[in-house]
Amino acid sequence: MRRLPPLSAIEAFVQVARLGSIKAAAGELALSSPALSRRVQALERFMGKPLFDRRHQAIVLNADGERLLSQIAPALDAMSDAIDAMTSGGELLRLRLGLLPLYASRRLMPRLGELKAAHPELHLDVDTQPNRQARLGDSLDAAIVLARDIDPALYARRLDRNRVFVIGCRDLLDGPDPVTRPEHVSRLTALVHRDMPETFIEWRRAMGLPELEPRTTDFFDSGPLMLEAAAQGLGVAFMLEMHFEGARDERLMRLFEPVDSDYSYWFVCRPRALHTRAVRIFHDWVLAVLNPEPASAR
């Protein structure tokens, strides 16, 4: 039988390749950075070629490393699944998942039956409380968050691109003082989600009105309540395209042209969580089924 490199060296290589950092990978494997580097170097000596390009404060897979990762990472994941299956005793898999209520109702719940049919062993504990990123690894295994930036210590995959919509009730166009120009927002209340505090700023910048201020700004932590407030004429909501299209509320209309937004939905978890079967099943399903375009890693 052909001699193989140590499994510890293979595991170190895959972890560094996935995280792009010796320090982060060492933390996940409970090793010192020098010890992890030695394992990677041992694999490179075994292969007879470098697998990474070493740059200033960075380590990046080269072409040989990319090829090796594509061939051995699935095998390593399959080994982990086999160990999980043998040690779990056939027990159910449970995933503690953080979600925004609006994303859960608009995107996840309509497709959840497909996930259940494909993986009847997987059960979700859905958590809609705030501070999802901070609670990963504690009360949450994974989360889908709405953010402009993600904590660099986390594993993250972008799920979409968005545009900011200004959403208001139809009466805003029918009254004696109709809202027809962006400047007219100065006499209205801006409704802004606490998870997207920069949406109004993004919109006014795109409109070429950096000094524009609404009459006042009301903050919400619930997308559905924001939409209802807009439908009741309490202000105009600065939300994303998905929120407007998903509302299907005839009382609401889009004011003005949408503008590009830096906010995206992201799948996030602690890097070590990807080694658990429940997280990996959900991660792969989300990227394959709920993602409207190829996901890009941060």
Side-chain angles (χ1 to χ4, degrees):
M1 183 176 182
R2 183 183 175 188
R3 186 170 62 92
L4 295 174
L7 181 59
S8 59
I10 295 174
E11 183 182 34
F13 163 73
V14 171
Q15 194 76 318
V16 173
R18 283 175 166 170
L19 297 181
S21 164
I22 290 283
K23 182 178 179 181
E28 289 301 314
L29 295 177
L31 295 170
S32 67
S33 293
L36 185 70
S37 294
R38 287 193 293 271
R39 292 187 181 185
V40 173
Q41 291 164 4
L43 180 62
E44 290 179 315
R45 286 195 299 271
F46 184 93
M47 300 295 297
K49 60 184 69 177
L51 302 172
F52 294 94
D53 290 332
R54 272 79 172 177
R55 302 172 184 172
H56 180 62
Q57 296 184 336
I59 183 168
V60 181
L61 280 174
N62 60 24
D64 289 324
E66 291 277 7
R67 187 162 57 252
L68 181 62
L69 180 67
S70 68
Q71 295 180 29
I72 68 172
L76 192 63
D77 289 341
M79 290 173 60
S80 297
D81 286 345
I83 296 298
D84 286 346
M86 291 294 292
T87 58
S88 66
E91 296 179 2
L92 298 177
L93 298 177
R94 191 164 292 280
L95 177 67
R96 300 172 301 169
L97 180 65
L99 289 170
L100 282 87
L102 200 58
Y103 187 93
S105 62
R106 298 284 191 262
R107 289 267 180 90
L108 181 62
M109 298 308 294
R111 306 294 297 271
L112 202 55
E114 299 172 32
L115 175 62
K116 189 66 176 176
H119 297 282
E121 75 280 15
L122 181 64
H123 290 258
L124 302 183
D125 290 336
V126 175
D127 185 327
T128 59
Q129 297 302 307
N131 302 317
R132 297 165 192 88
Q133 290 190 55
R135 294 191 290 123
L136 288 168
D138 182 13
S139 59
L140 294 177
D141 301 313
I144 294 177
V145 301
L146 182 60
R148 302 174 76 190
D149 301 298
I150 301 294
D151 182 343
L154 299 176
Y155 170 87
R157 293 295 295 267
R158 189 190 301 271
L159 297 178
D160 64 2
R161 302 279 181 176
N162 284 299
R163 296 186 295 170
V164 176
F165 275 43
V166 184
I167 305 170
C169 68
R170 294 186 176 277
D171 291 345
L172 290 175
L173 290 182
D174 299 333
D177 197 10
V179 175
T180 57
R181 297 173 56 83
E183 295 88 340
H184 295 164
V185 169
S186 63
R187 61 179 189 248
L188 301 172
T189 297
L191 310 177
V192 176
H193 199 289
R194 293 188 187 279
D195 284 337
M196 301 183 293
E198 302 296 319
T199 47
F200 174 74
I201 295 173
E202 288 180 332
W203 175 80
R204 74 179 183 184
R205 183 172 60 241
M207 291 292 105
L209 300 168
E211 305 301 322
L212 177 68
E213 293 291 345
R215 184 176 64 182
T216 187
T217 301
D218 292 348
F219 289 93
F220 289 72
D221 59 10
S222 167
L225 288 181
M226 277 183 68
L227 291 170
E228 183 60 31
Q232 295 289 344
L234 303 181
V236 288
F238 291 82
M239 301 183 76
L240 302 183
E241 184 172 6
M242 182 202 80
H243 304 145
F244 176 72
E245 293 179 349
R248 297 186 179 88
D249 189 331
E250 294 183 355
R251 298 172 298 171
L252 295 172
M253 64 177 301
R254 188 193 79 193
L255 304 172
F256 319 119
E257 289 299 312
V259 303
D260 290 338
S261 173
D262 291 334
Y263 285 97
S264 291
Y265 281 101
W266 299 78
F267 172 91
V268 293
C269 66
R270 293 286 175 187
R272 69 172 66 91
L274 285 175
H275 295 295
T276 65
R277 188 160 175 255
V279 171
R280 197 162 62 250
I281 286 174
F282 185 79
H283 164 272
D284 293 348
W285 178 78
V286 164
L287 294 184
V289 175
L290 296 186
N291 188 19
E293 62 181 32
S296 58
R298 174 191 41 73

